[in-house]
C-alpha cells in the first residue's frame, strides 16, 4: 500500500462515512449502489495531493482500483495534477488511461472533478467523436463524462459540442444527466446568453423539468417564471 493511501485511511471517520454513503445514494437500487466510503472530506484529499506530488501516473492508476470512494477520488486528483503539469505525451497517456478506467469513475463527484480537466482539456484542439460515443453509452457515468467534458470548451467560448450533446441527452432517463445538462447550459449562458436561449426556445417545452430549472437558475425572475410557465 502506498504511503499516501495509508495516510488517507488514517484519516477515516465512520460518522462521515455513514453520512457520505447516504448522500451519494449507495443503497440497493440507487445510483451509487455498493460504493464504500472511508469518511474523509475533500479538503483533506487535496492536501494529500499537495503533499505527494511525486506519486506517478502508474501509482495513481493503482489507487483508482480501490473499493473506497475517497481513494478513487484521490487518484483522480493526482491524475489531474499530473495532466496539468505534464508533457503532451503524458497528457495523452492520462487521457487514454482515463477512458479505459471509466468503470472506476462511477459517481458524479468523481466525474465532475476530472472529466473536463482531462478529457475535455485533451480534446480542446482535437476531434471529439469520442464524446458522442460516450453520450450514447448505456452507462450513466460515461454519459455524464460526455457532457461534463465540454466544460473545458465552454471556458474557451466554444459551445457547439455542449449544445449538440445536450440535444442528444434531452430525453435521458437519469436525473443526474438532467442536472448535468442543465448545468452545462447554464454555463453556456454565462458566456453567451443568446446561444443558451436559442437552445432553450427550441427545446424547453420538451426537456425534463430538472434540466430546465438548472439551465435557467441564474435568469432574471420574470424570465425564469416565463420559461417555467411555458410563456416564451
Amino acid at each position: 500500500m502506498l504511503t499516501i493511501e495509508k495516510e488517507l485511511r488514517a484519516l477515516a471517520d465512520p460518522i462521515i462515512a455513514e453520512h457520505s454513503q447516504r448522500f451519494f445514494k449507495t443503497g440497493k437500487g440507487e445510483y451509487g449502489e455498493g460504493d464504500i466510503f472511508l469518511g474523509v472530506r475533500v479538503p483533506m484529499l487535496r492536501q494529500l495531493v499537495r503533499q505527494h506530488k511525486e506519486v506517478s501516473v502508474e501509482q495513481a492508476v493503482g489507487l483508482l482500483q480501490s473499493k473506497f470512494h475517497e481513494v478513487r477520488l484521490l487518484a483522480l486528483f493526482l491524475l489531474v495534477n499530473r495532466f496539468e503539469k505534464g508533457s503532451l505525451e503524458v497528457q495523452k497517456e492520462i487521457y487514454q488511461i482515463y477512458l479505459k478506467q471509466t468503470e472506476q469513475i462511477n459517481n458524479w463527484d468523481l466525474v465532475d472533478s476530472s472529466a473536463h480537466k482531462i478529457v475535455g482539456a485533451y480534446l480542446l484542439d482535437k476531434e471529439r467523436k469520442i464524446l458522442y460515443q460516450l453520450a450514447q453509452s448505456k452507462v450513466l457515468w460515461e454519459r455524464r463524462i460526455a457532457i461534463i467534458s465540454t466544460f473545458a470548451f465552454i471556458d474557451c467560448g466554444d459551445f457547439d459540442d455542449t449544445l449538440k450533446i445536450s440535444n442528444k441527452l434531452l430525453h435521458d432517463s437519469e436525473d443526474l444527466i438532467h442536472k448535468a445538462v442543465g448545468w452545462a447550459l447554464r454555463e453556456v449562458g454565462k458566456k453567451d446568453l443568446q446561444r443558451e436561449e436559442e437552445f432553450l426556445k427550441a427545446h424547453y417545452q420538451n426537456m425534463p423539468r430538472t434540466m430546465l430549472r438548472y439551465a435557467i437558475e441564474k435568469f432574471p425572475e420574470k424570465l425564469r417564471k416565463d420559461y417555467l410557465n411555458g410563456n416564451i
Side-chain angles (χ1 to χ4, degrees):
M1 186 186 299
L2 293 176
T3 300
I4 190 171
E5 185 175 0
K6 290 179 181 178
E7 292 179 22
L8 176 57
R9 292 196 185 202
L11 295 170
D13 183 324
I15 295 176
I16 294 174
E18 183 179 355
H19 173 268
S20 295
Q21 291 190 196
R22 290 196 304 271
F23 182 75
F24 286 98
K25 308 296 185 185
T26 63
K28 186 172 178 59
E30 295 181 310
Y31 63 74
E33 180 177 351
D35 206 354
I36 303 172
F37 286 77
L38 290 168
V40 182
R41 301 291 192 194
V42 169
M44 291 184 175
L45 299 181
R46 294 196 181 280
Q47 183 175 334
L48 284 174
V49 172
R50 290 192 292 270
Q51 293 172 352
H52 293 275
K53 295 178 181 178
E54 78 286 354
V55 171
S56 68
V57 171
E58 182 179 7
Q59 290 171 326
V61 174
L63 292 171
L64 191 57
Q65 311 313 307
S66 176
K67 65 180 181 180
F68 293 109
H69 185 103
E70 294 95 335
V71 180
R72 299 198 304 281
L73 183 55
L74 176 66
L76 291 167
F77 286 159
L78 289 164
L79 287 172
V80 166
N81 185 63
R82 281 288 183 177
F83 182 95
E84 292 175 345
K85 294 177 170 56
S87 64
L88 293 177
E89 287 186 5
V90 169
Q91 290 181 344
K92 182 178 181 179
E93 178 190 9
I94 293 172
Y95 163 78
Q96 292 174 335
I97 287 170
Y98 190 95
L99 292 179
K100 290 178 181 177
Q101 296 287 333
T102 56
E103 186 176 346
Q104 300 301 109
I105 307 168
N106 57 354
N107 214 312
W108 59 263
D109 63 321
L110 303 178
V111 173
D112 295 0
S113 64
S114 60
H116 58 304
K117 295 181 177 181
I118 294 177
V119 179
Y122 183 76
L123 295 177
L124 276 174
D125 59 352
K126 299 176 183 66
E127 198 273 331
R128 301 166 184 177
K129 181 180 178 181
I130 182 63
L131 297 183
Y132 293 85
Q133 294 172 355
L134 290 169
Q136 295 177 33
S137 172
K138 293 181 180 179
V139 180
L140 161 63
W141 308 118
E142 292 188 346
R143 301 198 303 278
R144 190 162 174 119
I145 286 170
I147 188 64
I148 296 297
S149 292
T150 72
F151 280 50
F153 315 152
I154 296 171
D155 284 345
C156 297
D158 179 358
F159 314 124
D160 289 351
D161 291 294
T162 301
L163 297 175
K164 289 176 183 176
I165 292 171
S166 293
N167 189 36
K168 288 185 176 296
L169 295 173
L170 272 178
H171 304 295
D172 198 278
S173 61
E174 294 286 350
D175 185 65
L176 283 171
I177 298 298
H178 303 168
K179 291 176 179 178
V181 171
W183 180 20
L185 293 171
R186 187 174 73 217
E187 292 303 304
V188 170
K190 289 180 181 179
K191 296 277 189 177
D192 190 334
L193 184 58
Q194 182 177 342
R195 287 296 299 278
E196 182 188 5
E197 282 219 75
E198 286 173 358
F199 183 91
L200 290 177
K201 287 174 181 177
H203 301 292
Y204 84 98
Q205 290 181 317
N206 298 314
M207 67 170 51
R209 200 70 167 174
T210 297
M211 187 184 295
L212 177 60
R213 286 185 180 278
Y214 269 62
I216 64 176
E217 185 179 16
K218 301 299 182 181
F219 281 18
E221 183 67 14
K222 184 181 183 305
L223 182 59
R224 193 175 65 83
K225 287 185 175 179
D226 284 343
Y227 272 104
L228 291 173
N229 295 328
N231 295 329
I232 297 299

